[in-house]
Amino acid sequence: MNAHPGALGIVARALAVSIRPTPPMPFPAWLASNIVLVDGSRKGEFWSAEDAPYLLEIAECLSQEHPCNLVTVRKAQQTGVSILALAWMLYIAEMCPDNALYAAPGIDLLQDLNSGKLQPLIDTWQEKTEKRVIDATGSTTYTKKVGQDTFIYLGNANTKKDLSGKTVRYGVKDEVSKWEFFPDGSDPETLFFGRFTAFRRQKTYKILELSTPELDSGDALGEGPGHCRIDRSFRRSDQRFWHIKCPECAFEQVQYDQNLVIDRAHPHRTTMRCVHCGHLISEMERVTCVRAGRYIPTLAGPDRHPGFHVDAFMSLMMSYEAIAEDRISSEGKGESGAKDYSNLVLALAYQMKGNAPDHVRLMERREDYQPETIPAGGLLFVGGADVQGHGIYVELVAFGQDRQSWTVAAAYLPGETDNPQAGAWILLDEFTSREFPDAHGVLRTLDALGVDSGYRTNQVLEWCRRRPNTYAVKGEPGRGRPAISQPQRKSVTKKGKRKRYGSTMSWPVGTWSLKAEFYGNLHKTGLAAGEPCDPPGYCHFHKELGEEFFQQITAEYFEQKLIRGKLFEEWKPRRVDNHWLDCRIYAMAMAEHIGLSRMSPADWARLRAVYEPAVDVDLLSSAPERIAAAAPLAPAPPAEKKPARRNVQWAAYRK
């Protein structure tokens, strides 16, 4: 039999090509040719590293050949990390199919992830590439079928059922900082990790955890009770930060918030100061520098896993202008605004400034303004009163547009409080009905007064019912309650039914958030400490306030404790008397009620036009002053007249 001399070689080469295993494709290379963006400005386009260069190294760690078992990403909002996590599930389904678990806190979040991101990603991926990796007929909302016995599970991290009964090799812990302990005290992270037991000995599993951070317990190692989960894990990692080179001196550095130079009048001119040469990096320069940046690990060691910090400064979906606007906006929202800015923009855990500063330090910063006189800038004039059996404590406070506050008067009115028409009630009526001058000589009365109804409930309700602009308030503890919420009618008729007219209203006040904001403001430093200006929310006190006043406003502290695995947060007293603290909290609630957070700049301008004299405009006046003088303030729109109701039945009867 004759054979072609090269036939054996041809057959051997063809056989070698057919049986040679396909080399593993790295996750970054797979991303660019498979993932089509389903939202944002690049919707419908393939994923590109040019838009998020800081995601490439994270993706490399998620490749099937990378030896790490855990990847931590402490992130800000709108950075593209969530899409990366969902895309990783599809990469696993095609390149190394095995069971995977994607866990997120809450069934609503899972439904939004599936309908808004995951399912559209699957549909566009299979449509663009003509691949059929996910079996649509065998898939449901919470289970995506990959092979005969291979699935991608979507699980609710707040229920044991979704974290049990599964064996998986790959997993994602989305928004892990919001995972809560179960009622029996068990930890959902422990239950989640138990799904990987079959792969732990050989260390062939891989987990990605990502989240915006939450609260900082203050512990240096992040091990304190209630500490943010993603921040704790990041501190155990090698802590990689994105470094950029200064376009002027080429010095590599991390962009930090303290180096941000904000032009408050023109936020689009905001820049970043180089820590080496002082060059002000513009927004155009930032984009180029970010694209050429790199991660540099802060720590090294055999037990350190890859950990990445991704904040808004490195996101190409954000800008210096947007970050500046977010910071300016957060400054007017007190403690809650500072927490949101730290968590969502800076990607840092936030430590509540709940513990009040030393009262002696507060006394040292008292200012030389006239008591019982409303200082310049005080546009809202409110008060709070705390009723005791032996007398009534009351504080009158003025608030400005940027939430700065001034104590106008603080008094203790002695007398019996069991009769609303005698004793201390008469003194309270005389004190709060007075006219107080402001810095421009205008006489003003209180806009609103909140009186605590927790002790002498009947007396407070009756006293407030007879007087306008007075509110019977009741403090309600607990996180998440608004400053002031819907009131309840308390007066009843002889038959026991609630009165519809002439009834006394009891207004619930959320003391938790107000105390957090007040104590956060007490920590702020201003002109008295050498700062160039007083910051938004700064608290001013006049020189006639004594030591007892400052001891009372700092009489509580914030405590976090772990009980049976569940975190409890509450305000606790450090001394018996805290009456002026209560007065301030009720005054803040009154300010919120009449519009401190709700009023627009135009509303504040109308108040300023009423209480403050017009400024003479000359050549040296600022541009806003000249514009305001040239365009006088428009009057408030007249109230819409309701058409008179016609009594149809009476008209028909007359006919």
Side-chain angles (χ1 to χ4, degrees):
M1 177 179 179
N2 295 328
H4 192 279
L8 186 59
I10 294 173
V11 172
R13 284 194 295 272
L15 182 62
V17 170
S18 63
I19 65 176
R20 182 183 295 121
T22 304
M25 178 181 288
F27 185 32
W30 184 91
L31 271 172
S33 57
N34 287 272
I35 293 301
V36 179
L37 300 177
V38 295
D39 54 15
S41 59
R42 298 294 184 92
K43 182 177 180 180
E45 300 179 13
F46 277 100
W47 185 91
S48 172
E50 184 180 355
D51 300 324
Y54 49 85
L55 295 181
L56 278 178
E57 190 167 332
I58 303 174
E60 289 174 4
C61 294
L62 295 174
S63 298
Q64 59 175 317
E65 294 299 307
H66 197 281
C68 73
N69 300 114
L70 176 64
V71 179
T72 299
V73 183
R74 187 179 66 180
K75 71 180 188 71
Q77 62 181 357
Q78 297 299 315
T79 53
V81 180
S82 298
I83 289 293
L84 185 74
L86 293 169
W88 186 51
M89 293 287 97
L90 307 186
Y91 168 77
I92 290 168
E94 180 182 2
M95 303 305 299
C96 45
D98 211 326
N99 288 342
L101 173 59
Y102 194 107
I107 192 67
D108 294 335
L109 178 57
L110 280 178
Q111 291 175 347
D112 292 342
L113 279 172
N114 179 69
S115 60
K117 292 186 177 182
L118 180 57
Q119 193 58 49
L121 273 178
I122 294 173
D123 295 340
T124 54
W125 170 47
Q126 299 192 145
E127 178 184 350
K128 290 280 187 179
T129 61
E130 298 183 354
K131 298 176 181 178
R132 293 295 178 266
V133 179
I134 305 297
D135 184 4
T137 58
S139 299
T140 64
T141 301
Y142 305 110
T143 303
K144 308 300 178 184
K145 188 175 182 181
V146 178
Q148 184 65 29
D149 299 311
T150 306
F151 298 91
I152 297 174
Y153 301 102
L154 301 184
N156 181 3
N158 291 338
T159 61
K160 282 190 172 184
K161 178 183 176 182
D162 285 9
L163 300 183
S164 304
K166 303 176 181 68
T167 298
V168 298
R169 184 178 179 183
Y170 303 100
V172 173
K173 297 193 290 188
D174 196 1
E175 289 298 340
V176 67
S177 292
K178 297 177 178 61
W179 290 21
E180 299 177 355
F181 285 93
F182 295 121
D184 61 358
S186 56
D187 191 341
E189 283 195 275
T190 304
L191 196 59
F192 179 89
F193 192 54
R195 304 307 97 216
F196 299 83
T197 303
F199 305 95
R200 287 180 63 184
R201 188 178 69 83
Q202 295 182 341
K203 294 187 177 181
T204 55
Y205 66 91
K206 195 181 291 288
I207 297 174
L208 168 65
E209 53 184 11
L210 65 147
S211 180
T212 52
E214 287 290 330
L215 289 176
D216 184 350
S217 66
D219 184 78
L221 300 177
E223 302 294 340
H227 194 93
C228 169
R229 294 177 184 270
I230 196 69
D231 188 68
R232 181 191 297 123
S233 183
F234 179 78
R235 295 189 188 197
R236 295 171 180 171
S237 72
D238 57 10
Q239 300 183 19
R240 306 183 189 187
F241 291 88
W242 191 257
H243 288 64
I244 66 170
K245 287 184 178 181
C246 172
E248 187 71 20
C249 65
F251 180 78
E252 279 192 310
Q253 60 198 289
V254 179
Q255 300 178 87
Y256 288 117
D257 185 58
Q258 58 264 33
N259 299 325
L260 190 67
V261 181
I262 297 179
D263 186 337
R264 293 180 176 271
H266 309 91
H268 65 278
R269 297 178 181 174
T270 299
T271 56
M272 178 70 66
R273 179 181 289 108
C274 172
V275 296
H276 185 257
C277 69
H279 172 70
L280 297 179
I281 304 172
S282 67
E283 173 60 25
M284 288 192 299
E285 292 174 327
R286 180 191 79 99
V287 174
T288 304
C289 293
V290 166
R291 284 177 174 159
R294 63 170 182 150
Y295 281 111
I296 299 179
T298 305
L299 303 173
D303 296 328
R304 299 278 180 178
H305 64 275
F308 300 88
H309 174 84
V310 181
D311 58 26
F313 292 113
M314 48 197 286
S315 171
L316 297 183
M317 288 180 272
M318 292 287 285
S319 65
Y320 284 153
E321 178 185 2
I323 295 171
E325 290 172 346
D326 287 347
R327 192 166 100 178
I328 294 172
S329 174
S330 69
E331 290 172 351
K333 298 178 182 177
E335 187 85 352
S336 61
K339 178 182 179 297
D340 289 344
Y341 180 73
S342 178
N343 294 163
L344 304 179
V345 178
L346 305 182
L348 297 174
Y350 183 77
Q351 184 176 0
M352 299 290 290
K353 297 181 176 65
N355 292 334
D358 183 15
H359 76 279
V360 177
R361 297 289 177 265
L362 289 178
M363 289 182 63
E364 292 174 353
R365 77 181 203 189
R366 289 178 293 182
E367 303 172 27
D368 193 15
Y369 66 86
Q370 191 69 24
E372 298 192 359
T373 299
I374 303 170
L379 300 178
L380 300 181
F381 186 34
V382 295
D386 185 32
V387 180
Q388 299 297 312
H390 49 76
I392 301 175
Y393 293 83
V394 60
E395 183 188 16
L396 307 184
V397 188
F399 286 88
Q401 181 176 356
D402 62 352
R403 306 180 81 91
Q404 288 192 57
S405 63
W406 294 263
T407 296
V408 176
Y412 169 65
L413 309 175
E416 297 299 324
T417 56
D418 53 353
N419 184 355
Q421 301 180 21
W425 293 106
I426 296 178
L427 299 179
L428 179 64
D429 196 11
E430 295 174 353
F431 186 74
T432 57
S433 60
R434 287 171 48 192
E435 291 182 328
F436 292 83
D438 64 13
H440 308 290
V442 180
L443 294 177
R444 297 170 57 181
T445 57
L446 279 174
D447 298 323
L449 173 68
V451 185
D452 180 20
S453 62
Y455 179 60
R456 298 286 195 190
T457 306
N458 293 336
Q459 290 82 350
V460 172
L461 293 174
E462 182 60 26
W463 190 84
C464 291
R465 187 179 68 86
R466 296 169 179 264
R467 289 160 182 81
N469 298 328
T470 57
Y471 300 84
V473 295
K474 179 69 171 65
E476 300 286 345
R479 180 194 283 268
R481 294 183 181 272
I484 191 163
S485 50
Q486 186 176 7
Q488 298 177 344
R489 299 182 184 275
K490 293 297 183 182
S491 299
V492 295
T493 64
K494 290 182 179 180
K495 295 182 179 181
K497 296 183 178 180
R498 294 189 185 277
K499 284 185 178 180
R500 295 184 59 189
Y501 306 102
S503 175
T504 307
M505 311 285 278
S506 178
W507 297 76
V509 170
T511 59
W512 200 100
S513 59
L514 291 176
K515 288 178 181 178
E517 178 181 350
F518 179 52
Y519 277 2
N521 289 337
L522 288 181
H523 280 277
K524 295 179 178 179
T525 56
L527 289 170
E531 297 293 331
C533 64
D534 293 324
Y538 187 78
C539 300
H540 303 263
F541 305 102
H542 61 73
K543 283 189 175 296
E544 292 192 11
L545 295 171
E547 184 176 7
E548 178 64 22
F549 174 85
F550 291 96
Q551 286 181 337
Q552 289 199 22
I553 65 173
T554 58
E556 294 190 9
Y557 67 96
F558 184 64
E559 182 184 66
Q560 294 177 312
K561 56 184 177 181
L562 212 59
I563 300 178
R564 295 180 59 189
K566 189 172 183 179
L567 181 66
F568 287 86
E569 302 170 318
E570 59 182 335
W571 294 94
K572 285 199 167 184
R574 65 171 81 248
R575 67 194 306 267
V576 176
D577 294 328
N578 63 347
H579 311 299
W580 271 309
L581 173 61
D582 291 341
C583 291
R584 172 55 71 103
I585 297 306
Y586 298 139
M588 293 172 66
M590 291 296 98
E592 291 290 346
H593 180 58
I594 63 176
L596 178 62
S597 298
R598 184 178 64 251
M599 290 168 62
S600 66
D603 296 329
W604 287 106
R606 290 191 185 94
L607 274 182
R608 197 172 290 108
V610 172
Y611 295 124
E612 296 182 356
V615 179
D616 294 331
V617 179
D618 53 27
L619 293 176
L620 301 179
S621 299
S622 63
E625 291 174 342
R626 293 197 300 270
I627 293 173
L633 191 68
E640 184 181 354
K641 259 191 167 183
K642 294 183 178 179
R645 293 182 60 188
R646 295 181 58 192
N647 194 330
V648 180
Q649 294 181 352
W650 175 248
Y653 177 76
R654 291 181 62 185
K655 289 181 180 179

